[in-house]
Amino acid sequence: MTKLRSWGTTTTAAAVLTLTAGVLLAGPAAAESAPSPTVPSPATAFPAMAFPFALGQQVYSAGIHSDDGSDGVKNAIDFSPADRTVRAPLAGTVHLQHCSGGDWVTIDHAGGWRTGYYHMEAIQVTDGEQVEAGAPLGSTGNALPCGGSSTGAHVHFTLWTLPAAPATAAAPGDREAAPGDREAAPRDREANDREAAIGDWDNVSYARLTSTVAAAYGQPVDGKEIGGWQFTAGAEQYDGTATHLADRQLVQLPGRFRDTP
Ligand SMILES: [Zn+2]
């Protein structure tokens, strides 16, 4: 089965070195017992939420991974529901995040939690729209609006917490430097980071979303309960398990399961 990686970087010498160093320096025990210094404490407990798709269908999950699939907090999990319809798992406010290659979707929920939906096609929601749990957001797909990669239709579902500040429009002039943030002057980068903190991720590149933003706001999928299943990250990227809390059914990830009502 093709692995459904998203945000995936192509293998580079630097990535290989980073992974190799991680394996050499940190065994599984260390990885499990030592809290990551890069994960901030969320302001509020993780809210009860449904899956980002309808109940009662077969789902493939490529597993739990970091936003770039190689390094950093494992704040993402890929889902491919059979009906391909992505739905809001919890009520909230939609942000359409615009990039040169198109849009992607985030939803801000009560308590400062944000969920993300990358790779979607045929987006059905609008910027600022208030959605209820179950509202259709779009279709699983291979869209790459800000960069990254995808090798099979899915949604890259991501968890973050944000500071308790409302999203606001960018100050005039800030937007100009955003698309080429690697080339932006330091003052512009600071302006961009302030925007990122308040939730406007328009034109935030894939590279910065998976590094700066993920390090500042990413929250691990490990231990979270979603749709009545508890997710546990494994030692490696894309590893892990899903446990159905009602009957203790255990699914190894990557893997298929049927989300029963
Ligand atoms: Zn993914």
Side-chain angles (χ1 to χ4, degrees), residues 6 65 78 154 156:
S6 62
H65 51 285
D78 291 345
H154 69 287
H156 175 87

Side-chain angles (χ1 to χ4, degrees), residues 24-180:
L24 289 174
L25 296 174
E32 284 173 11
S33 61
S36 168
T38 63
V39 179
S41 297
T44 60
F46 185 66
M49 66 172 65
F51 274 122
F53 45 81
L55 289 172
Q57 61 181 311
Q58 182 162 273
V59 178
Y60 175 74
S61 173
I64 299 164
H65 51 285
S66 66
D67 257 346
D68 70 0
S70 67
D71 198 17
V73 57
K74 293 176 185 170
N75 59 329
I77 181 167
D78 291 345
F79 291 120
S80 304
D83 73 357
R84 295 194 57 179
T85 301
V86 181
R87 296 176 182 275
L90 181 66
T93 304
V94 169
H95 285 257
L96 281 190
Q97 309 287 358
H98 311 293
C99 276
S100 59
D103 295 340
W104 63 289
V105 170
T106 61
I107 303 177
D108 289 350
H109 310 285
W113 288 86
R114 165 171 285 188
T115 52
Y117 310 82
Y118 200 71
H119 299 314
M120 278 202 308
E121 298 168 1
I123 291 172
Q124 298 180 46
V125 287
T126 56
D127 200 27
E129 183 176 342
Q130 305 289 318
V131 291
E132 297 300 321
L137 306 177
S139 300
T140 57
N142 296 288
L144 303 172
C146 313
S149 65
S150 173
T151 56
H154 69 287
V155 63
H156 175 87
F157 178 68
T158 308
L159 303 178
W160 302 274
T161 51
L162 295 176
T168 60
D174 285 355
R175 179 65 62 237
E176 299 305 320

